[in-house]
Amino acid sequence: MTPTATRRAALLGALAVGATVLTPTAVAGPQPPAIAFGPCPASVPAPPPPDRVECGTLRVPLDHRHPGGRHIDIAVSRVPASGTPAERRGVLLVNPGGPGGSGLPYAVTKRAKLPASVRRSYDVIGFDPRGTGRSAPADCGPMGGLFDSPGADPVPRGRTAERAHLDALHRMAADCAAGTGEALPHLSTAETVRDMDAIRTALGEPRIAFLGVSYGSYLGAAYAARYPRRVGAMVLDSVVGPWDWYDFDLRQSRALLDQRAVLFGWIAEHHERFGLGGTAAAVRAAYQRVRDGLADRPVDGFGAAGFDRAVYRALGRTERWTPLAEALRAYLRDGTVAGLRPAAPFDGPDSRTYEAANRAVKCADGPGPDPDRLLPDIRRLRRADPQPVLTGIEASVCAFWPHRPARRTPLGGPDVPPLLLIASEHDPVTPIAGARELRRTLPGSRLVTLYDDYSHGVFASRGNVCVDAAAAAYLVGGSVPAADVRCQGPGLPEPGAPAS
């Protein structure tokens, strides 16, 4: 037997000796109308034949505590299992993260990357969580100037800029209250969890399996906390830790600084390819020249805020490092920013909905920070690094939110069956400490770690055979591995081909 085959056999053996096998049980309760599936909107791609995708809506209460009040429609998509009836294990709900991400196309796009055994076993169900996509989308209007072009520098320096920063957060909170109205406190993870259970009931399933990435892991852990006996196999990938959203955002901002330092060193190692300097310090200086130049003289409305958003996005996946380095070089060479601009405009309708839903969910999920924390925390980050990336600290606006929940969303619990958590060792978007902390709330659960990896999103995303085999065996077989699983990652990437 080859070493690869030996490792695979050992892994499958470990997976076979797992915890309690998940089997369906009946769940009593009122049955909502079945979802009438039909054609999908153009935003949902069609899978290759013979697979098909179908879409429908489910009406749910805006406030599940008052089922007789206002209702909203939740958009749902389904790609049926491709296997035989004997292979079918039920439905697998999927969520791509955010909060704010549309999940309707995800049933198709994520399913295409899943192992064949999973595709054969499950109907894959996507849905737009409330506040996103086609499910009562949130509207925060101008969001305190967030979509201004160019926007204000997101890293305030000096008292005047700091006061302007706080004023923008005040205005963002007021814009969200005005635009979203009575729905604002109900665009929460807790309400979305109840929507998920309504989807389960409408589909006639006693339990649901679930695959959630990033914020999707938080959503899954919240569902498991509320409905532990209705949980089938559940994979939580790139795990958000069980902290207040603002504290999570600060942890992420510190991890991004560590990741950016790695990026600078990587670019320096490939100086002949990128020409930005042969040391990390030289690359950092080149990076700072780009940011300073855009802050002082935006190019066609693209300034410091747009630059920081581009960096934030690139730091999360190593395949984006080459395009970022090339874009830095292009600006320094000829002043162009085409490589830094997003494919879709930041002020477009999809982006506006995402940004609004992101803040609405975070601020509905628990108490926001005290306003007096905000500036000291920014100053602390600036002392750690004079040019921090603050793009992801979205929950700072919760300090001024009109609705302040008394407690944060419960995650996990002692009655939850063992689940499977997956993490990349150096993921800067959802640092691995979050997976380790959440697992403490999930007795018997297992953690699959992709070591020597620097990207966000692992299962059916990084192409790692070890990770994908572990998750597929759990989803299809129903048992977690006998122990945590260690998988070897790819390390830092080789530079991609030069842009044409």
Side-chain angles (χ1 to χ4, degrees):
M1 184 178 290
T2 66
T4 299
T6 302
R7 288 194 298 271
R8 186 176 294 114
L11 170 63
L12 294 175
L15 294 168
V17 188
T20 305
V21 176
L22 301 167
T23 56
T25 59
V27 178
Q31 299 288 316
I35 300 170
F37 285 102
C40 290
S43 60
V44 179
D51 293 328
R52 70 185 192 281
V53 62
E54 49 198 7
C55 295
T57 59
L58 179 67
R59 287 191 69 75
V60 299
L62 175 64
D63 182 351
H64 281 273
R65 297 170 301 175
H66 299 96
R70 176 184 164 189
H71 281 59
I72 60 175
D73 290 332
I74 301 298
V76 182
S77 58
R78 176 172 67 183
V79 181
S82 59
T84 65
E87 292 175 282
R88 187 179 183 276
R89 285 192 54 81
V91 298
L92 176 68
L93 268 68
V94 293
N95 179 272
S102 169
L104 203 65
Y106 202 56
V108 176
T109 58
K110 186 63 177 181
R111 182 184 182 275
K113 302 175 184 178
L114 293 174
S117 60
V118 179
R119 300 196 304 269
R120 294 181 64 84
S121 299
Y122 287 99
D123 297 347
V124 178
I125 308 297
F127 69 103
D128 282 344
R130 56 173 58 205
T132 73
R134 293 173 175 266
S135 298
D139 179 6
C140 286
M143 293 191 74
L146 182 67
F147 302 108
D148 289 353
S149 179
D153 192 320
V155 182
R157 291 175 171 81
R159 300 293 182 180
T160 300
E162 289 178 343
R163 284 194 298 270
H165 179 74
L166 295 183
D167 178 65
L169 293 175
H170 269 288
R171 288 186 286 114
M172 181 184 291
D175 288 340
C176 287
T180 305
E182 66 171 336
L184 194 62
H186 305 295
L187 300 184
S188 65
T189 296
E191 294 283 5
T192 296
V193 158
R194 293 176 177 179
D195 297 341
M196 290 168 57
D197 202 58
I199 293 171
R200 175 198 63 76
T201 305
L203 295 174
E205 297 288 339
R207 292 184 176 184
I208 56 171
F210 182 78
L211 166 60
V213 183
S214 196
Y215 165 71
S217 69
Y218 182 98
L219 182 59
Y223 182 89
R226 182 167 184 86
Y227 302 110
R229 299 187 184 278
R230 302 178 192 178
V231 173
M234 185 173 280
V235 175
L236 309 181
D237 182 4
S238 302
V239 177
V240 173
W243 305 298
D244 292 339
W245 275 116
Y246 180 72
D247 291 332
F248 168 80
D249 289 352
L250 291 178
R251 289 171 182 265
Q252 181 192 85
S253 67
R254 293 190 289 269
L256 289 169
L257 293 179
D258 293 338
Q259 182 86 330
R260 194 180 61 181
V262 175
L263 170 66
F264 289 160
W266 177 82
I267 293 174
E269 288 180 5
H270 301 285
H271 173 58
E272 292 186 2
R273 170 72 168 77
F274 298 119
L276 292 173
T279 66
V283 173
R284 181 189 176 95
Y287 171 98
Q288 195 66 50
R289 289 197 300 275
V290 176
R291 195 187 188 283
D292 289 346
L294 290 170
D296 293 339
R297 297 175 300 280
V299 177
D300 296 329
F302 188 89
F307 177 81
D308 281 5
R309 286 192 295 268
V311 171
Y312 177 87
R313 180 178 183 274
L315 290 176
R317 296 280 296 194
T318 55
E319 64 267 27
R320 299 170 185 160
W321 289 11
T322 291
L324 176 63
E326 290 179 333
L328 296 175
R329 182 181 61 186
Y331 175 83
L332 292 171
R333 183 182 59 218
D334 53 29
T336 60
V337 295
L340 294 168
R341 287 188 184 275
F346 180 63
D347 62 350
D350 290 344
S351 176
R352 285 177 177 272
T353 297
Y354 177 91
E355 299 295 340
N358 178 281
R359 274 67 169 191
V361 172
K362 286 190 171 185
C363 296
D365 276 0
D370 188 290
D372 291 340
R373 283 189 61 184
L374 302 185
L375 293 181
D377 284 337
I378 290 175
R379 294 166 187 160
R380 191 173 296 111
L381 285 166
R382 288 187 57 212
R383 285 196 296 272
D385 188 292
Q387 192 61 70
V389 180
L390 306 183
T391 301
I393 310 182
E394 298 112 345
S396 58
V397 72
C398 303
F400 307 109
W401 212 246
H403 169 72
R404 297 181 68 84
R407 65 189 187 102
R408 71 169 184 245
T409 305
L411 303 178
D415 298 326
V416 177
L419 311 180
L420 192 68
L421 285 66
I422 302 177
S424 165
E425 183 182 16
H426 302 293
D427 177 358
V429 181
T430 52
I432 193 171
R436 292 166 176 159
E437 189 69 21
L438 182 64
R439 188 174 61 164
R440 294 191 177 98
T441 74
L442 298 167
S445 294
R446 300 289 183 255
L447 176 61
V448 178
T449 302
L450 184 60
Y451 286 90
D452 201 18
D453 185 75
Y454 294 80
S455 288
H456 181 62
V458 182
F459 173 48
S461 178
R462 301 294 292 146
N464 186 274
V465 173
C466 172
V467 171
D468 291 356
Y474 165 63
L475 286 170
V476 176
S479 298
V480 296
D484 288 346
V485 178
R486 297 172 58 94
C487 297
Q488 182 59 44
L492 294 174
E494 290 298 316
S500 58

